[in-house]
Amino acid sequence: LMALDQIEQAQPNPDAALIAKCDRFCTTNADWDRLYDGGQTLDADSLAGENVRLMDEIAALPARTASGRPAKLQAVPALWPAVLDDFRAAG
């Protein structure tokens, strides 16, 4: 008998698109922060459109697997920092 993790690895991950979008968003968001903080606002603006598109796509995709949930959780603080600050302030 195959172990459960071997079975899951053998099948396509239903969260593959979500994970890829979250990874891409985290990368482009960090690049945007670096460029914007460095005063390169025109270069930062070129990433802003992609970031907005990715934010909408990530928000629309549910995390359905054990690998999809942490990927989305990693992207959430970068997606909606003000929302998280509100939750933290509320206790």
Side-chain angles (χ1 to χ4, degrees):
L1 292 176
M2 294 176 77
L4 183 57
D5 61 337
Q6 290 173 321
I7 294 169
E8 287 177 355
Q9 289 174 6
Q11 297 179 6
N13 186 338
D15 281 338
L18 172 65
I19 293 166
K21 289 176 191 300
C22 289
D23 288 345
R24 179 69 183 151
F25 177 80
C26 289
T27 298
T28 60
N29 194 58
D31 290 345
W32 184 90
D33 284 342
R34 182 180 48 77
L35 291 170
Y36 190 82
D37 290 343
Q40 299 172 345
T41 55
L42 291 177
D43 292 330
D45 287 346
S46 69
L47 291 174
E50 182 177 5
N51 282 356
V52 170
R53 179 184 57 78
L54 287 167
M55 288 169 63
D56 291 342
E57 291 174 7
I58 291 167
L61 290 172
R64 297 174 283 181
T65 65
S67 57
R69 290 193 254 330
K72 195 165 187 177
L73 187 60
Q74 182 181 7
V76 166
L79 287 167
W80 302 288
V83 172
L84 292 177
D85 289 345
D86 288 346
F87 279 110
R88 289 183 187 118

